[in-house]
Amino acid sequence: MLLLTSISSRAQRPSSTLPMASDEKVFLLGADSMSINKLPDGSEVRRVVSKVVFRHKGALMYCDLAIHKVSSNALEAYGNVKIVQGDTVTVTGDTLFYFGNTRLAKVMGKVVTLRDRKRSVTSTRIEYDMASGIAYYPNKGKILDAENTLTSQVGYYDTRTKISTYYKDVKLVNPKYTLTTDTLVYNSITKIADFKSPTKVISKDGTLVAKNGSYNTETGESLFRTRTTIDNPDYTLTGDSITFDNLSKKGYAKGKVVLVSKKDDTILNGDFGIYNGKKGFSKVWGHPLMRTVVSKDTLYMTADTLYSIEIPKDSLSKDSTSKAIASNGSKQQALGLTTSNKSQTPSDTTNRPKQLIGYKNVLVYKRDLQSKCDSLVYHSLDSNITFFKKPIIWTGKYQLEADTILAQLVQQKLRTMYLRAKSFVIAQDTLINFNQVKGRRITASFDDSTRLQRVFVEGNGQSIYFAANEQNKPMGMNRVECAKMTLNFKNNQVHRIQFVGQPDGKFIPPQGIKPIDKELEGFSWRIKEKPSKEEIFTKANFKPMPLPVVKESEKNKPPANKTLSKEVLKTKLKPKKKKL
């Protein structure tokens, strides 16, 4: 018996000769059979078979067969492996390597699953640190909870804090959205996903692209710390940093903000931007710039602040702005800023008419119209533009001024301007003379080519126009005063004039014209103030994309893949005659 190196026994419980249970040692609770091998160094290895149960630090481990290395406090388990830690975590697999001193469990198999109360982790290999509660899978894994399915190549899951970290080909699928990235930290309790690599979120509301940020997968609230783009069917919002609430459709962007409205080809740029999707309200400030397509041309506008407001069709009549001005309403009401205070449902935003508003220090440039004013409102419903607070407008060779101007566009072309209070129209002719009209109210009509066609003056009308013959030689100057008058233009020249009431006028021949006679009171030709596109870009700190430069040597260079003609091929392939 003293020479025996192996002991075998069959029992449902461990023999009384085995050491007593200890929290520090892996302890065998039961098995159908057990054999003990004594190694030359005196250490003991136990082989237990069928209905095997071990306990260590309050955790239970089950299997069909186990090799228990007593001295190293390690365990190898095979077949129907199961770890139960308290009433929260369960791990199942085919094979287990457990190191009792560090409490690290390595579980492998065709399907290895770790479950807690609300989620499960599945892979072909899971390493579970039972001391810290952190599970790690080095192979492709999947995490499931009530709402989300997450897959990645590598992952860490903290069963205590419920915080997970995932790497490589990370994909989070939710009924409302799909998130893909390369690195993701996800908190299963707060439902917040943090990412620091290129990330895309796709939902029915649109697409979000970012590199660094936090996303609440339950509420849709998000914070993006690097340049981010939010794209949906109605708009695209881009900024160096963005906060966005997907439920309320509210967003705030900072740093090189670009807001693109897809409905009307309008782009807003600025340093800061606010967007409210449910109310259809956008605001951009800090070097703001608006670009919108009007009649195959681009209208550029800059101001201290730019607004875009979508409003229900039944809340704004075609002449609402004019009524607001006529009734001496406040500027905020006239500008339409108060309309954004009414809460709207998402369905109300579909195909709404829109107001584009420039507030304070406005500059406008379009190929056939330039303006400088305090504020303006553009109504997409009727294509009207209202200029506030002593605006000045240049169109072609004409300069128009008043306290307020309403410009009406038909098919996106300027057709009529209504000048209200202290109205003044100046037109420079080919002889560098200035035809002038002023009065309390002026209505100016334009033809299809945006040339001045007719001017109707009401109230204290005054005019100066220069006459020329068919050879374009000066004939003299007419100076007329009348309560009401209509001036008809042809080829930028006064063609005919009609008066209502008794006019008071005089004709002055060229030699009798004095400098003081050539100007009405208040005349000021302010052509140097006319904004250019470059000036607007400079004020908005905007740098347009440069056009590609074509080298002179490549202008006439044929395409590389151009097919040679048959004649050229014959010439190139024709054999040369050899000299005898």
Side-chain angles (χ1 to χ4, degrees):
M1 292 293 293
L2 296 176
L3 298 177
L4 284 177
T5 57
S6 153
I7 301 175
S8 298
S9 65
R10 283 188 169 273
Q12 292 298 325
R13 291 290 179 268
S15 169
S16 59
T17 61
L18 297 176
M20 296 299 292
S22 169
D23 285 342
E24 299 300 327
K25 295 293 183 179
V26 176
F27 183 72
L28 176 64
L29 289 181
D32 280 353
S33 66
M34 177 180 67
S35 62
I36 302 175
N37 293 329
K38 292 285 187 177
L39 300 179
D41 61 359
S43 60
E44 187 177 284
V45 178
R46 299 170 181 171
R47 185 178 185 274
V48 287
V49 180
S50 184
K51 299 180 182 178
V52 180
V53 183
F54 285 92
R55 185 183 72 197
H56 186 235
K57 295 285 187 179
L60 298 176
M61 289 166 277
Y62 302 85
C63 65
D64 293 336
L65 182 148
I67 305 298
H68 182 199
K69 300 175 182 179
V70 179
S71 60
S72 61
N73 207 27
L75 182 68
E76 295 178 18
Y78 303 92
N80 296 312
V81 171
K82 183 178 181 180
I83 301 174
V84 179
Q85 188 178 32
D87 58 351
T88 57
V89 179
T90 301
V91 185
T92 58
D94 298 330
T95 304
L96 165 66
F97 293 95
Y98 180 69
F99 306 91
N101 295 335
T102 59
R103 299 180 65 191
L104 176 63
K106 296 182 179 181
V107 185
M108 290 153 285
K110 291 183 178 180
V111 179
V112 180
T113 303
L114 181 148
R115 290 186 176 87
D116 60 13
R117 290 175 179 174
K118 294 185 177 180
R119 60 203 52 82
S120 65
V121 182
T122 303
S123 181
T124 58
R125 176 175 176 175
I126 292 177
E127 297 183 8
Y128 179 45
D129 188 335
M130 296 169 65
S132 64
I134 297 176
Y136 160 69
Y137 57 85
N139 303 330
K140 185 176 181 179
K142 179 190 292 185
I143 290 189
L144 296 173
D145 60 21
E147 297 179 349
N148 304 301
T149 300
L150 191 148
T151 57
S152 68
Q153 296 295 334
V154 179
Y156 294 85
Y157 175 53
D158 192 324
T159 61
R160 297 175 184 176
T161 64
K162 311 304 179 186
I163 296 176
S164 310
T165 305
Y166 308 100
Y167 302 98
K168 297 181 182 180
D169 302 328
V170 182
K171 186 174 183 180
L172 178 61
V173 178
N174 183 283
K176 299 178 181 178
Y177 62 88
T178 299
L179 183 152
T180 56
T181 185
D182 270 347
T183 303
L184 180 70
V185 179
Y186 180 63
N187 190 316
S188 300
I189 298 176
T190 63
K191 306 295 183 181
I192 294 177
D194 290 291
F195 48 87
K196 295 184 179 180
S197 63
T199 302
K200 180 182 288 187
V201 181
I202 301 175
S203 68
K204 64 178 182 179
D205 297 321
T207 302
L208 184 152
V209 179
K211 290 183 179 179
N212 187 323
S214 302
Y215 182 76
N216 191 313
T217 61
E218 189 170 51
T219 66
E221 294 177 315
S222 50
L223 167 64
F224 307 105
R225 305 175 188 90
T226 58
R227 193 150 187 83
T228 302
T229 297
I230 299 173
D231 184 15
N232 71 21
D234 296 330
Y235 72 92
T236 298
L237 176 63
T238 303
D240 288 346
S241 64
I242 293 179
T243 57
F244 190 76
D245 187 337
N246 200 42
L247 293 180
S248 65
K249 307 299 180 186
K250 292 181 180 179
Y252 169 75
K254 178 181 178 182
K256 298 179 182 179
V257 176
V258 182
L259 179 63
V260 180
S261 174
K262 298 179 181 179
K263 292 180 181 179
D264 51 12
D265 296 323
T266 299
I267 303 174
L268 296 175
N269 296 77
D271 296 336
F272 307 92
I274 292 175
Y275 176 79
N276 188 319
K278 288 189 175 181
K279 293 183 178 180
F281 175 83
S282 304
K283 174 184 175 183
V284 176
W285 68 100
H287 303 97
L289 172 67
M290 183 198 76
R291 292 167 287 164
T292 186
V293 176
V294 178
S295 185
K296 297 182 180 180
D297 188 17
T298 302
L299 185 146
Y300 301 89
M301 179 170 68
T302 184
D304 289 354
T305 308
L306 294 176
Y307 299 87
S308 175
I309 302 174
E310 295 177 353
I311 54 177
K313 292 182 180 180
D314 57 357
S315 69
L316 181 66
S317 63
K318 289 188 176 182
D319 59 346
S320 62
T321 304
S322 302
K323 290 180 180 179
I325 298 168
S327 62
N328 294 321
S330 67
K331 178 184 281 191
Q332 294 290 322
Q333 181 184 0
L335 287 175
L337 298 179
T338 56
T339 61
S340 64
N341 294 330
K342 295 182 180 180
S343 178
Q344 306 292 339
T345 61
S347 59
D348 290 337
T349 64
T350 306
N351 298 324
R352 287 192 205 171
K354 179 178 289 187
Q355 291 177 326
L356 298 176
I357 300 170
Y359 188 70
K360 291 292 184 182
N361 301 312
V362 175
L363 295 180
V364 176
Y365 176 86
K366 189 175 174 289
R367 201 160 46 218
D368 57 354
L369 185 147
Q370 300 82 42
S371 176
K372 181 178 180 180
C373 63
D374 176 78
S375 304
L376 70 77
V377 178
Y378 169 73
H379 296 262
S380 64
L381 180 65
D382 49 18
S383 298
N384 285 356
I385 307 176
T386 306
F387 303 82
F388 294 94
K389 200 171 182 181
K390 297 181 179 180
I392 179 168
I393 296 175
W394 296 269
T395 175
K397 294 184 178 181
Y398 310 105
Q399 175 182 293
L400 302 94
E401 292 183 80
D403 281 354
T404 303
I405 299 176
L406 173 62
Q408 285 187 338
L409 284 73
V410 177
Q411 294 181 349
Q412 302 298 338
K413 290 184 178 181
L414 178 63
R415 285 301 177 89
T416 310
M417 279 194 187
Y418 300 95
L419 287 71
R420 299 293 180 259
K422 299 179 182 179
S423 307
F424 208 127
V425 177
I426 304 172
Q428 189 179 41
D429 63 18
T430 55
L431 298 175
I432 318 300
N433 294 314
F434 295 99
N435 297 311
Q436 303 159 51
V437 181
K438 64 178 294 188
R440 281 200 300 268
R441 293 183 299 275
I442 292 179
T443 301
S445 302
F446 299 82
D447 61 14
D448 291 338
S449 301
T450 320
R451 291 180 300 189
L452 192 60
Q453 190 175 35
R454 184 180 297 105
V455 172
F456 176 61
V457 185
E458 297 179 89
N460 300 327
Q462 300 179 55
S463 70
I464 288 177
Y465 62 94
F466 293 83
N469 60 21
E470 294 180 356
Q471 287 74 35
N472 203 28
K473 291 184 178 180
M475 298 174 58
M477 183 190 78
N478 287 285
R479 186 170 182 135
V480 182
E481 294 185 11
C482 187
K484 295 182 180 180
M485 65 177 75
T486 301
L487 291 87
N488 296 280
F489 288 78
K490 186 177 181 180
N491 297 325
N492 295 324
Q493 299 284 349
V494 177
H495 178 64
R496 186 176 59 179
I497 186 168
Q498 297 171 295
F499 302 97
V500 178
Q502 188 64 34
D504 180 12
K506 60 180 178 178
F507 177 79
I508 306 174
Q511 63 274 16
I513 300 175
K514 299 177 182 179
I516 194 172
D517 297 328
K518 298 171 67 174
E519 297 179 358
L520 295 175
E521 184 181 356
F523 171 87
S524 178
W525 183 243
R526 300 164 59 185
I527 194 67
K528 292 183 179 180
E529 299 179 37
K530 183 170 72 171
S532 64
K533 186 164 58 174
E534 291 72 23
E535 181 183 356
I536 289 178
F537 286 169
T538 300
K539 182 179 177 182
N541 196 24
F542 177 76
K543 295 181 180 180
M545 293 293 291
L547 294 174
V549 178
V550 180
K551 294 181 180 180
E552 193 69 28
S553 59
E554 296 181 358
K555 286 185 178 180
N556 300 319
K557 187 177 180 180
N561 61 346
K562 185 176 180 180
T563 304
L564 296 175
S565 65
K566 293 181 179 180
E567 290 75 12
V568 175
L569 282 172
K570 287 180 180 179
T571 304
K572 288 183 173 289
L573 298 177
K574 187 176 180 180
K576 295 181 180 180
K577 292 183 179 180
K578 295 182 179 180
K579 293 182 180 181
L580 296 177

